Amino acid sequence: MTKAQVKDLSKKLLRSYWEALTLFNQRRGTTLAASSSFYIIITLVPFFLLLIRLVGFFLGSVEEVHNYLFTFGEEVFPDIGPEIIIKVKNLLAGPLFGKAQFTVINFFILLVSSLSFFNAIWSGLFLISGDKSLLSPKKHFKGIVVIGFTILILVVALSIQPLFIFVWTVLQNNFVVDYLSQFDSMLGLISYFKSIDIKNSFNWASNYFFFISFLLYFTFVFRWFFNWSIRLRESLIGAGTFVFLLLAGKNLFWIYFLYVREGLIQNYGDYYTFIIGILWIYVVMCFFFFSACLCFVFKKKPIFAKIESIDS
């Protein structure tokens, strides 16, 4: 890619962000975010129960998935109100570890309850794009696909850590390493290599792992939402924008909280953390619909079209 092409791409990208912001304001993105936030709140428990049950079924440990999912959730939620994560986790523990069996009937009830959230997403995307296919019966199938892909991502994420630890343990303890440790010149290096505790030093709940997982997930989701009509690289930019805003907002949300904390405590007492949670969900949905607006702009005006024609 030449310098002129990079400059041209940068201009297109900046113009796309501006058009996305304009579209977000024109289509009342904040109102769409508020509507979707309401559906998230009322479907949060059934959706998490569905995910934990199904992922636990594949991995054989519901409790491990329950703990992991909320450890992962702490990376999404601002540090100023972690109590709400604990409260939701304890709220799910009752129906999750109770004596009631997981039957086809309650699976169907959880699935239908979870899909009500996706109805709000389809409606929001329809109001943004004007694509009537988003209101067709197929939207329910798309919601099931997204849930299935979410489960797949969680299964893979939970499987990578023990697999990586197993491979690292094998690398640390084998006949080649034992043979090399007999040489004085290699003894220090081998000792250091064997002393690395990969299980404790590798932080799977770090922002890096969170960033990569969400980036891959939303790259797929945005392409799926728009019927694969946007390019992979443009979907990647849209997903990257959402994840970047999510991480930046998570770390800067305390500035807003600093100004409203006293009022929240006076008005809501110990329940002020729930208000924080609602506000954060609303902010996240604003980020999501802005990124969706960006993807819709890419759909109308692909920024890589000209460069790909030159390369071809």
Side-chain angles (χ1 to χ4, degrees), residues 28-49:
R28 303 294 188 269
T30 53
T31 303
L32 297 177
S35 172
S36 300
S37 299
F38 170 77
Y39 279 97
I40 284 181
I41 293 168
I42 64 175
T43 60
L44 188 66
V45 172
F47 183 66
F48 274 122
L49 283 174

Side-chain angles (χ1 to χ4, degrees), residues 152-166:
L152 177 63
I153 287 289
L154 287 173
V155 170
V156 171
L158 282 166
S159 302
I160 287 177
Q161 182 178 6
L163 178 62
F164 186 85
I165 292 174
F166 171 75

Side-chain angles (χ1 to χ4, degrees), residues 162-174 192-199 201:
L163 178 62
F164 186 85
I165 292 174
F166 171 75
V167 172
W168 188 265
T169 303
V170 171
L171 291 176
Q172 285 181 317
N173 302 278
N174 56 75
Y192 172 76
F193 179 67
K194 283 192 170 186
S195 66
I196 298 176
D197 186 359
I198 195 65
K199 186 174 183 179
S201 62

Side-chain angles (χ1 to χ4, degrees), residues 19-30 286 289-290 293:
E19 291 180 5
L21 183 60
T22 303
L23 181 64
F24 180 80
N25 291 327
Q26 290 176 346
R27 303 299 168 87
R28 303 294 188 269
T30 53
C286 285
F289 280 114
F290 171 75
C293 288

Side-chain angles (χ1 to χ4, degrees), residues 53 94-102:
R53 289 283 193 181
L96 192 62
F97 300 112
K99 295 182 179 180
Q101 294 183 348
F102 187 59

